[in-house]
Amino acid sequence: MKKLVYIPLLFLIVSINAQLPGSGVSLESNVLDGVYIQEHIPTKRVVQYTHLREADVMWAKRVWRVIDLKEKMNHKLYYPLEPLTDRMCLYDVIRYGALQQAAITVYKPDDDRFTMPVKPSNGNINDPDFKFELDKMFSREVKIPLFDDEGEPMTDADGIALTNDTIDYYKNRDIIQYEIKEDWFFDKQRSVLDVRIIGLSPIVYLTEENIETGMDDIIGTKNIFWLYFPECRYTFQNFYVYNPNNDSQKMSFDDLFWKREFASTIYKESNIMNRKISNSYSGINALLESERIKNEMFNFEHDLWDF
């Protein structure tokens, strides 16, 4: 005789979604912060790119852009500064995908060609050496001076000051910009000018200690690492982006990049010397050159249909 076992459906749904970031259910208290469980975005599948053959691409151009998080349109990528039960900023999503999920591969900061990934040599993602190298990509090195019992700086035999080296994790408020690397191309099979983002890189201020003031002076900016965007899409697809008009109709970070709901400036295009615009132009002239490149791609598409 067969026995039927009934499991309350509501309890099963809550238990499953409680483990999904962005569902609205607190992982600590298992309390639903809202009137319904948000399960569309946390379980959403990635929309695959249209298949593309080399023979279908009759024109292509590679450009690099910078997304300034101070611009109002880009605040969706910068806020909230503290993670909420249903959403977090882009940098926190990246940290979650790389450090907790191990679903995002991190590449060296100067490697926008994705040739130097930070991976465990033995294939074990729990290897301490690999975790230390991965943590270094998300942090800055800090040297803390050592002092003796009398308060005097300690030095070695060569007179070099002794320090305690540690790491200080970057916070989401430390990210000032993002760089993206993308390919624009004309697909003659579909008769469209299309674009696909290839790489993404967070940028922070580059600082140097001022001996006179004891403070850190900003001397520029630096990339902390590069990410292969098609791989990131599987993580970005499951995290909400704030919708100022309707809280029940939010998009994911992948949707935001797909719909290109961000403001950016071109700082480099593919060229024979692999130079940035800033190498030849500065100030307003650099912005005008950026606009020229953008208009060149815009006019290319329109000229195709100009009879």
Side-chain angles (χ1 to χ4, degrees), residues 1-267:
M1 181 177 180
K2 296 182 179 179
K3 295 182 179 180
L4 299 178
V5 178
Y6 295 94
I7 301 176
L9 181 60
L10 178 61
F11 174 79
L12 180 61
I13 294 176
V14 172
S15 299
I16 294 175
N17 286 276
Q19 306 303 318
L20 296 175
S23 63
V25 181
S26 172
L27 297 178
E28 290 76 17
S29 63
N30 204 32
V31 172
L32 174 62
D33 181 21
V35 295
Y36 57 87
I37 297 176
Q38 303 179 43
E39 52 186 341
H40 172 58
I41 294 295
T43 60
K44 190 176 179 182
R45 292 186 178 183
V46 172
V47 178
Q48 298 297 327
Y49 290 132
T50 303
H51 176 67
L52 185 67
R53 302 181 307 154
E54 182 180 5
D56 294 333
V57 179
M58 60 174 295
W59 176 90
K61 179 177 283 292
R62 172 162 292 180
V63 297
W64 288 257
R65 296 175 180 266
V66 59
I67 301 174
D68 192 343
L69 298 183
K70 294 192 294 293
E71 295 193 37
K72 186 175 181 179
M73 189 174 182
N74 299 328
H75 284 180
K76 297 176 184 179
L77 303 174
Y78 184 72
Y79 294 102
L81 295 179
E82 297 296 335
L84 305 177
T85 55
D86 62 339
R87 63 187 176 90
M88 59 182 70
C89 70
L90 179 60
Y91 182 68
D92 285 337
V93 172
I94 292 173
R95 286 191 57 180
Y96 176 82
L99 300 181
Q100 297 186 37
Q101 279 190 325
I104 296 179
T105 304
V106 176
Y107 296 83
K108 297 292 185 178
D110 297 328
D111 183 27
D112 66 351
R113 294 176 297 170
F114 316 107
T115 59
M116 296 181 290
V118 179
K119 287 186 176 182
S121 57
N122 55 7
N124 180 15
I125 61 174
N126 296 317
D127 181 63
D129 293 335
F130 164 69
K131 285 186 171 294
F132 178 72
E133 289 297 321
L134 191 59
D135 285 342
K136 285 174 59 177
M137 305 302 295
F138 287 85
S139 59
R140 61 169 65 91
E141 187 177 359
V142 179
K143 296 182 180 293
I144 303 176
L146 297 179
F147 298 90
D148 56 22
D149 296 336
E150 298 179 356
E152 297 294 329
M154 299 177 62
T155 59
D156 58 13
D158 298 327
I160 301 177
L162 297 177
T163 59
N164 183 17
D165 297 344
T166 184
I167 57 176
D168 179 29
Y169 284 99
Y170 290 115
K171 301 178 179 58
N172 48 23
R173 57 177 53 89
D174 295 325
I175 309 301
I176 59 171
Q177 296 173 341
Y178 286 98
E179 284 186 9
I180 58 174
K181 169 186 174 183
E182 60 187 16
D183 283 346
W184 288 80
F185 58 91
F186 184 81
D187 183 356
K188 68 177 183 180
Q189 187 70 22
R190 295 180 293 144
S191 296
V192 295
L193 182 67
D194 206 350
V195 58
R196 293 184 186 175
I197 300 176
I198 308 299
L200 175 72
S201 174
I203 300 177
V204 298
Y205 282 123
L206 178 61
T207 59
E208 184 179 57
E209 183 180 1
N210 190 320
I211 301 178
E212 297 180 356
T213 62
M215 304 291 289
D216 289 338
D217 292 339
I218 298 175
I219 60 176
T221 61
K222 69 173 182 178
N223 303 69
I224 56 178
F225 51 75
W226 274 93
L227 304 172
Y228 184 56
F229 187 82
E231 180 187 48
C232 296
R233 293 186 63 212
Y234 294 91
T235 300
F236 291 173
Q237 186 70 357
N238 300 128
F239 288 88
Y240 287 98
V241 175
Y242 176 69
N243 183 349
N245 301 316
N246 189 346
D247 284 344
S248 69
Q249 297 295 326
K250 298 176 183 176
M251 69 175 69
S252 68
F253 280 102
D254 184 54
D255 295 330
L256 181 144
F257 284 106
W258 188 295
K259 297 178 181 179
R260 302 191 68 80
E261 293 195 7
F262 57 86
S264 63
T265 304
I266 297 175
Y267 74 89

